[in-house]
Amino acid sequence: GAGVSQSPSNKVTEKGKDVELRCDPISGHTALYWYRQSLGQGLEFLIYFQGNSAPDKSGLPSDRFSAERTGGSVSTLTIQRTQQEDSAVYLCASSSLTNTHIYGYTFGSGTRLTVV
Amino acid sequence: DAKTTQPPSMDCAEGRAANLPCNHSTISGNEYVYWYRQIHSQGPQYIIHGLKNNETNEMASLIITEDRKSSTLILPHATLRDTAVYYCIVRFIYNQGGKLIFGQGTELSVKP
């Protein structure tokens, strides 16, 4: 597609439930990133995928968070047993390694997760 | 990647130039300066980047001091739509695919 697509755009879930957030990167982009942004806060890095390499999971806040990227394209971020502090906007970005210096990263519009 | 320091907020009159400073005094010779902005309720948007020469594109100009310890992003004719949080990020030149680390940025308010 023309841009990075995220779904759903909004998600309200009950505390303790599991949620899955989806990211469709720009076609051909080999690098994919997940960030989250709590209300009034900056962007917090979560995880980074690059091609077939092992993902950089250094930003995942707990073992309730996991992500996968199938076929080098679509990625799913899963949060198990959601807590109220997980409420945030979850942003996905992708980049082409050969063009990162030219075009930077392209971000999606995010998924706003509210845990009640 | 080197740390950056930006003022938390700035105001600018519509139609005037907005000059957003960034301090990166520990930058190394192999690190680029990147600027992104985030308009309310949207994902961050790439603006411009540079290594040591001044750069200009259709969105902005980037002025990097000769010692590379600071830079200024210039929006030549700010509009209300330029109201956003602006992030200055320093990143290793060969770290093409690595993660970007965002600081708190500068919240720019363009006023009529």
Side-chain angles (χ1 to χ4, degrees):
Chain A
V4 177
S5 177
Q6 292 188 246
S7 61
S9 55
N10 282 284
K11 175 73 176 178
V12 179
T13 190
E14 292 181 353
K15 178 181 173 182
K17 300 282 190 182
D18 297 352
V19 295
E20 285 190 351
L21 311 180
R22 178 187 168 103
C23 173
D24 276 286
I26 291 174
S27 178
H29 278 193
T30 56
L32 186 147
Y33 317 81
W34 283 98
Y35 289 80
R36 75 175 175 181
Q37 189 168 32
S38 302
L39 187 62
Q41 301 299 309
L43 283 90
E44 175 188 6
F45 166 78
L46 296 177
I47 189 169
Y48 154 52
F49 296 90
Q50 179 180 318
N52 296 321
S53 302
D56 176 353
K57 304 180 182 180
S58 60
L60 295 178
S62 78
D63 58 8
R64 296 186 296 105
F65 287 73
S66 64
E68 62 178 22
R69 189 178 184 193
T70 53
S73 180
V74 171
S75 177
T76 302
L77 177 69
T78 301
I79 309 173
Q80 296 178 308
R81 305 180 303 281
T82 52
Q83 304 294 314
Q84 287 186 326
E85 61 263 28
D86 298 335
S87 295
V89 175
Y90 288 81
L91 290 155
C92 175
S94 70
S95 72
S96 164
L97 289 186
T98 57
N99 288 325
T100 298
H101 286 317
I102 301 172
Y103 301 115
Y105 296 6
T106 302
F107 280 83
S109 297
T111 294
R112 182 175 298 279
L113 175 66
T114 303
V115 181
V116 297
Chain B
D1 296 328
K3 179 179 169 60
T4 63
T5 303
Q6 299 177 253
S9 64
M10 292 181 64
D11 289 342
C12 178
E14 187 179 19
R16 304 298 291 269
N19 298 288
L20 293 99
C22 180
N23 190 296
H24 31 79
S25 58
T26 61
I27 194 171
S28 73
N30 292 326
E31 290 179 310
Y32 277 104
V33 179
Y34 283 81
W35 284 83
Y36 281 74
R37 74 178 181 184
Q38 186 175 23
I39 295 171
H40 183 61
S41 298
Q42 296 182 24
Q45 174 191 25
Y46 165 82
I47 302 173
I48 198 168
H49 74 277
L51 184 60
K52 53 183 178 181
N53 297 322
N54 298 336
E55 303 288 344
T56 296
N57 63 21
E58 65 279 2
M59 291 183 69
S61 294
L62 174 61
I63 308 298
I64 302 174
T65 57
E66 192 169 340
D67 63 8
R68 302 186 67 244
K69 294 183 185 298
S70 64
S71 61
T72 301
L73 179 75
I74 301 172
L75 308 178
H77 305 287
T79 71
L80 299 179
R81 289 176 297 178
D82 292 322
T83 292
V85 178
Y86 287 77
Y87 297 98
C88 169
I89 302 166
V90 169
R91 199 160 131 269
F92 185 53
I93 190 172
Y94 298 112
N95 189 16
Q96 291 194 57
K99 57 185 182 278
L100 287 174
I101 303 299
F102 289 80
Q104 295 303 308
T106 295
E107 186 165 7
L108 176 69
S109 296
V110 181
K111 301 181 183 298

